[in-house]
C-alpha cells in the first residue's frame, strides 16, 4: 500500500471519531515511523475510545443509585455459629485437597513501576524485607515454593506485566534464577494498553510517530489471560482456581486453603477477601449490594452520609473494604472472555508528557490527561455466588505504595515484624517487647520455610533464644 493510500485508510478510521489530528506529522515521518503509528491506529477500537473519552471529558462517572445501595454480607473471620465452624473446617480440608490435586494456580498483577516509591524499576523488584531486603517478587516466589513442598504439588505462577516493565521483569527473574522455581511453571505476559486522552477527549501523541499509551488497569487481566494463552495453559494443567493478588502486598497469603476451599465449596465464580475498615475515610473500596448483585464502590465515590453511617451495634455500616485479594474460577474467566468483554473504564487525571502541535515534547506540571483503566472488581456483578470472606489485616495486608507514612516500606516492615512476633508467640516462643508491647528485636522469617504460624510451630526446636536489640534472619 502506498504512503498516500495508507494515510487515507487511517484517516477513514479516525475521522468519524474526530481523532484525525493523530496524523498531523504523517508527512514528516520516515517509513519505520509510519509503520509504527499505522499499527497502533489499526489496533484500537476508536468508536469505543471516543465514546469513553467523551463521557470522561464531560465529567461522567458510573451511575450509582446510592439510595438503593446496601452493605454486602460477608463470612466472618472467626467462625462463631455451628454452621460457620463446620464450613470453615470443611473449606480448609477441601482447599488442601485441591492443592494436592494440582487444581490451584497463582496470579500476580505487576504492571506498575516504583515511581511513587522513588524507585525507577518494576515495583515487584523493590526490596521490602527488614533484614535481607528481599524483593516483593522473591517473597512471593519463596511462599509459592514453600506451599509446593507442603502440598507436594506444582503451583503455576502467572505474572501480568506491562509494556513498560515486561523486559525488565523477565530479566530480573532470569538474573535471580527464578528464585529456585522452575521457569516452566512461570508465565509472564503484558497487559493491554489504551490511549491517553487530553481533557477534551482527544488522543495524545507521545512522539510524532507514537500514541501516548497507558496500561489498561488490572481489569485488563481477564482479556490478557486469554490472549496470552495463560487460560489455555491452565486448562491443559487441570487448574480450576486462581489465587489473585497485587504486587505491592508482600503480606498476602499466596496460598490460602481456607479461602480457596470455601470459594470452591460455595460454587463461587469470584471470591474476595474483605478487611474491616479502620475509619470511614480509609482508602478501601466498599463491598455493596445493588439489585442483589455484589459490587465494589470506590472510597472516593461514596457519599459522606454513607461513609459515616453506623449500624445498631455502633459499627460502620459500610465497613467491609477490599484489599484486592481474590480467588477466580478459571471457567468464569473463560466465560467472561468468550467474545468482547464489555467493561466500562474508570477515569483518572494524570500528568502525561505529550507532543504539541509544533512537534515538541511537553512535560506538564499539572494533570493534563485522562487515563482510562479497567478494574478487576467490575466483574463481580457478573459472578455467580460471589463470596466475601473477612480477612485478618495483621496477617495479610501491608501494601507498599508510598515512600513514607502509611502504606510505605517502613510501615510494611513494621507489619512483617509484628506478624513474625505473633507467629512466634502462638508457637510459645518468647520474643522480647518494649514498654509499649512492641517487638524489641528484629526477626525476618523466610517465606521459603515459614508461610504461617503452623510452620513456626514445626520449627520451634531449632529457633534461637531471642534477645532485645538483636537481629535474626531465620530460613
Amino acid at each position: 500500500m502506498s504512503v498516500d493510500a495508507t494515510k487515507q485508510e487511517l484517516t477513514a478510521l479516525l475521522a468519524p471519531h474526530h481523532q484525525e489530528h493523530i496524523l498531523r506529522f504523517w508527512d514528516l515521518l520516515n517509513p519505520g515511523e509510519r509503520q509504527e503509528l499505522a499499527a497502533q491506529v489499526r489496533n484500537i477500537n476508536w468508536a469505543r475510545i471516543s465514546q469513553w473519552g467523551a463521557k470522561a471529558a464531560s465529567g461522567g462517572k458510573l451511575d450509582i443509585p446510592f439510595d438503593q445501595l446496601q452493605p454486602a454480607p460477608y463470612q466472618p473471620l472467626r467462625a462463631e455459629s455451628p454452621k460457620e465452624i463446620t464450613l470453615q473446617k470443611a473449606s480448609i480440608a477441601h482447599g488442601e485437597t485441591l492443592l494436592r490435586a494440582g487444581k490451584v494456580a497463582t496470579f500476580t498483577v505487576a504492571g506498575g513501576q516504583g515511581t511513587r516509591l522513588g524507585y525507577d524499576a518494576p515495583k515487584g523488584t523493590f526490596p521490602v524485607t527488614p533484614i535481607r531486603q528481599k524483593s516483593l517478587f522473591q517473597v512471593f516466589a519463596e511462599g509459592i515454593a514453600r506451599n509446593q513442598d507442603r502440598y507436594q504439588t506444582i503451583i503455576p505462577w502467572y505474572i501480568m506485566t506491562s509494556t513498560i516493565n515486561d523486559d525488565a521483569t523477565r530479566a530480573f527473574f532470569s538474573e535471580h534464577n527464578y528464585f529456585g522455581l522452575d521457569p516452566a511453571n512461570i508465565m509472564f505476559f503484558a497487559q493491554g494498553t489504551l490511549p491517553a486522552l487530553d481533557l477534551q477527549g482527544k488522543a495524545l501523541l507521545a512522539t510524532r510517530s507514537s500514541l501516548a499509551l497507558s496500561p489498561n488497569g488490572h481489569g485488563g487481566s481477564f482479556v490478557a489471560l486469554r490472549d496470552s494463552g495463560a487460560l489455555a495453559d491452565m486448562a491443559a494443567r487441570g487448574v480450576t482456581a486462581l489465587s489473585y493478588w497485587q504486587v505491592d502486598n508482600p503480606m498476602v497469603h499466596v496460598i490460602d486453603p481456607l479461602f480457596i476451599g470455601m470459594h470452591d465449596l460455595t460454587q463461587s465464580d469470584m471470591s474476595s477477601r474483605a478487611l474491616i475498615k479502620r475509619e470511614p475515610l480509609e482508602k478501601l473500596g466498599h463491598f455493596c449490594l445493588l439489585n442483589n448483585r455484589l459490587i465494589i464502590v470506590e472510597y472516593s465515590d461514596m457519599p459522606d452520609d454513607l461513609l459515616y453511617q453506623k449500624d445498631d451495634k455502633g459499627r460502620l455500616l459500610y465497613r467491609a473494604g477490599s484489599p484486592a485479594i481474590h480467588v477466580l474460577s478459571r471457567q468464569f474467566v473463560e466465560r467472561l472472555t468468550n467474545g468482547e468483554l464489555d467493561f466500562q473504564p474508570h477515569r483518572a487525571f494524570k500528568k502525561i508528557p505529550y507532543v504539541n502541535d509544533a512537534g515538541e515534547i511537553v512535560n506538564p506540571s499539572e494533570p493534563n490527561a485522562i487515563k482510562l483503566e479497567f478494574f478487576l472488581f467490575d466483574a463481580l456483578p457478573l459472578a455467580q455466588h460471589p463470596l466475601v470472606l473477612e480477612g485478618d489485616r495483621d496477617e495479610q495486608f501491608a501494601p507498599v505504595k508510598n515512600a513514607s507514612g502509611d502504606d510505605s516500606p517502613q510501615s510494611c516492615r513494621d507489619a512483617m515484624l509484628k506478624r513474625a512476633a505473633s507467629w512466634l508467640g502462638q508457637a510459645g516462643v518468647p520474643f522480647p517487647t518494649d514498654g509499649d508491647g512492641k517487638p524489641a528485636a528484629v526477626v525476618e522469617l523466610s517465606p521459603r520455610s515459614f508461610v504461617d504460624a503452623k510452620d513456626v510451630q514445626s520449627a520451634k526446636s531449632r529457633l534461637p533464644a531471642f534477645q532485645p536489640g538483636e537481629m535474626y534472619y531465620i530460613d
Side-chain angles (χ1 to χ4, degrees), residues 8 22 30 61 67 76 96 99 116-117 148 155 202 265 269 318 355 365 374 401 428 432:
Q8 289 175 3
I22 291 168
N30 63 40
K61 292 186 176 181
D67 59 332
E96 291 176 341
L99 283 159
R116 286 168 60 184
L117 301 170
Q148 288 188 147
I155 302 175
K202 302 285 189 180
L265 285 179
D269 280 337
Y318 292 91
V355 169
S365 57
F374 300 111
K401 296 179 180 293

Side-chain angles (χ1 to χ4, degrees), residues 214-275:
S214 299
N216 63 1
H218 44 73
S221 59
F222 294 113
V223 171
L225 284 167
R226 179 196 65 191
D227 292 349
S228 66
L231 275 180
D233 185 69
M234 289 178 217
R237 292 173 180 267
V239 167
T240 59
L242 197 55
S243 175
Y244 166 99
W245 70 89
Q246 295 182 354
V247 77
D248 60 11
N249 181 20
M251 292 267 286
V252 69
H253 288 198
V254 298
I255 290 297
D256 186 340
L258 168 65
F259 191 26
I260 293 164
M262 193 175 293
H263 163 86
D264 198 67
L265 285 179
T266 59
Q267 298 182 313
S268 170
D269 280 337
M270 181 174 178
S271 299
S272 309
R273 278 288 196 177
L275 300 181

Side-chain angles (χ1 to χ4, degrees), residues 106 187 258 270 291 309 335 346 380:
T106 54
M187 183 175 182
L258 168 65
M270 181 174 178
N291 298 324
Q309 193 171 352
R335 291 201 307 273
H346 300 252
L380 281 171

Side-chain angles (χ1 to χ4, degrees), residues 60-72:
K61 292 186 176 181
L62 296 179
D63 297 322
I64 301 173
F66 288 106
D67 59 332
Q68 300 175 34
L69 209 62
Q70 295 177 304

